Amino acid sequence: MSDFTPTAGSVTMFTTTWCGYCQRLKAQMGREGIEYVEVDIEQDPAAAAFVEGVNGGNQTVPTLLYSDGSAETNPSIGQVKAKLEALSA
């Protein structure tokens, strides 16, 4: 697991300041009460390297990291909720 792995029930969201998809997902997660820690990959080289590692060398955001060490790139709010429910089961 990486140093970015979140606690159970939370996610780490890798973003950039200018990413519209990131802004939308953050707003949706806020409305759903889903906790997350945001990491700007343009400010954190280790975060950028992690995102590249799970996205075939691309810095694709938003990339979410879950407490089980799995990651999803640009998931829908439904996918995020389903994954968190599965992890809490």
Side-chain angles (χ1 to χ4, degrees), residues 7-83:
T7 58
S10 179
V11 299
T12 300
M13 183 187 300
F14 298 94
T15 67
T16 62
T17 57
W18 48 267
C19 170
Y21 295 107
C22 300
Q23 298 299 327
R24 184 182 68 211
L25 188 58
K26 287 189 287 186
Q28 292 171 334
M29 289 173 59
R31 283 193 297 273
E32 295 290 336
I34 298 171
E35 293 183 30
Y36 64 92
V37 172
E38 183 177 0
V39 180
D40 184 341
I41 66 169
E42 293 183 319
Q43 303 299 319
D44 188 328
F50 174 81
V51 169
E52 289 172 1
V54 298
N55 289 298
N58 297 312
Q59 291 187 356
T60 308
V61 291
T63 294
L64 271 61
L65 176 63
Y66 297 94
S67 61
D68 66 351
S70 66
E72 284 185 304
T73 303
N74 199 18
S76 68
I77 190 63
Q79 290 171 299
V80 175
K81 289 170 65 176
K83 178 67 174 184

